[in-house]
Amino acid sequence: MDVPTTVSTALEDRPVSGAVCLEAGAGVGNTTAGLLAAGASHVYAVTNDADHAGTVHERVARDEPDRTAVLEADLRSLPLADDSVEIITAHGLFNVVSPGSLDAIVEELRRVAAPGCHLVVDDYEPLPDDAAMRDLFALENAASELATGGSALTFYPAAVLRRLFVGEGWQFDRTRTLLDPVPWTEQHVRAHANVARSLAEDVPGELGEELSREAERLVTTIGSESIGEMYSIAFRLPD
């Protein structure tokens, strides 16, 4: 499995070789693949999404069964022992974490981190006001609020997450830019529109239909867009 440049760049200054690692929010397994390629002794890939868990197993874990464990679990209650991991990654995780769950996840990551553990958090700065993608994300959040009572996306500035983790005892190490601008491709635009339309199906009446039509309109209007910044911030626990 190819490792995205954003993942390899975020990991290149971390002592991954021989380490026990946790990928918090495994997605499709890109960072699990990056950790294995960098020589991790073992990677716990954790996701609360059954489809993602299956994808990580098929794409990554099946070829590395002795070094990989895919765990379908809530990040607020990890099935791992205290002080059990040496590298933690959260690549594109926190933009799908609601403010109400933020503290619980940060506390749980701290619990499983061994003394001297390294933490790498990669995510997106809030988009500027003139970004067309901002309208699509706002629509996705509106559909999510109406369908589920909560937002689908929250973009936390690097400074906010830095303060949060430092407050939990992590020592700030470094920050770097992974993408500037971020290339939101036609595939990305369509994927977010599809999420909005799926959520809109659970919104009754004409409002749901209107949300779905607006999602399709934005796909055509936006096409693709390069805007915004993806950052990487790294921390370390005291020994």
Side-chain angles (χ1 to χ4, degrees), residues 135-152:
D135 294 334
L136 179 56
F137 294 147
L139 179 72
E140 187 176 341
N141 275 343
S144 182
E145 289 279 1
L146 290 167
T148 70
S151 296

Side-chain angles (χ1 to χ4, degrees), residues 177-196:
T177 298
L178 299 179
L179 293 170
D180 187 11
V182 177
W184 304 102
T185 65
E186 292 182 7
Q187 183 178 1
H188 290 130
V189 173
R190 172 61 67 181
H192 282 281
N194 286 344
V195 171

Side-chain angles (χ1 to χ4, degrees), residues 64-237:
E64 292 281 0
D66 295 333
R67 293 202 293 153
T68 314
V70 182
L71 306 178
E72 189 179 337
D74 190 325
L75 289 172
R76 295 169 297 184
S77 182
L78 291 165
L80 298 173
D82 294 358
D83 305 336
S84 58
V85 295
E86 299 163 300
I87 304 281
I88 299 174
T89 63
H91 189 82
L93 166 67
F94 283 102
N95 67 86
V96 295
V97 171
S98 68
S101 296
L102 199 56
D103 285 344
I105 291 175
V106 170
E107 290 170 4
E108 189 68 348
L109 295 182
R110 174 66 179 82
R111 179 185 69 79
V112 302
C117 180
H118 290 258
L119 167 68
V120 182
V121 176
D122 310 321
D123 231 291
Y124 303 92
E125 290 286 352
L127 289 174
D129 291 343
D130 61 348
M133 285 297 295
R134 190 181 177 101
D135 294 334
L136 179 56
F137 294 147
L139 179 72
E140 187 176 341
N141 275 343
S144 182
E145 289 279 1
L146 290 167
T148 70
S151 296
L153 299 165
T154 305
F155 294 99
Y156 301 97
V160 169
L161 294 182
R162 175 177 172 176
R163 287 195 297 270
L164 189 62
F165 281 103
V166 168
E168 196 61 31
W170 296 86
Q171 295 178 343
F172 173 73
D173 192 354
R174 59 96 176 129
T175 185
R176 61 176 49 175
T177 298
L178 299 179
L179 293 170
D180 187 11
V182 177
W184 304 102
T185 65
E186 292 182 7
Q187 183 178 1
H188 290 130
V189 173
R190 172 61 67 181
H192 282 281
N194 286 344
V195 171
R197 291 172 62 185
S198 178
L199 290 164
E201 291 177 358
D202 293 327
V203 179
E206 294 184 3
L207 180 55
E209 296 174 2
E210 184 178 343
L211 289 167
S212 185
R213 287 194 297 270
E214 179 63 10
E216 193 58 38
R217 185 191 72 80
L218 287 172
V219 169
T220 302
T221 300
I222 296 171
S224 62
E225 183 178 36
S226 292
I227 196 165
E229 178 188 348
M230 185 178 192
Y231 59 80
S232 176
I233 46 179
F235 307 84
R236 187 173 184 272
L237 277 184

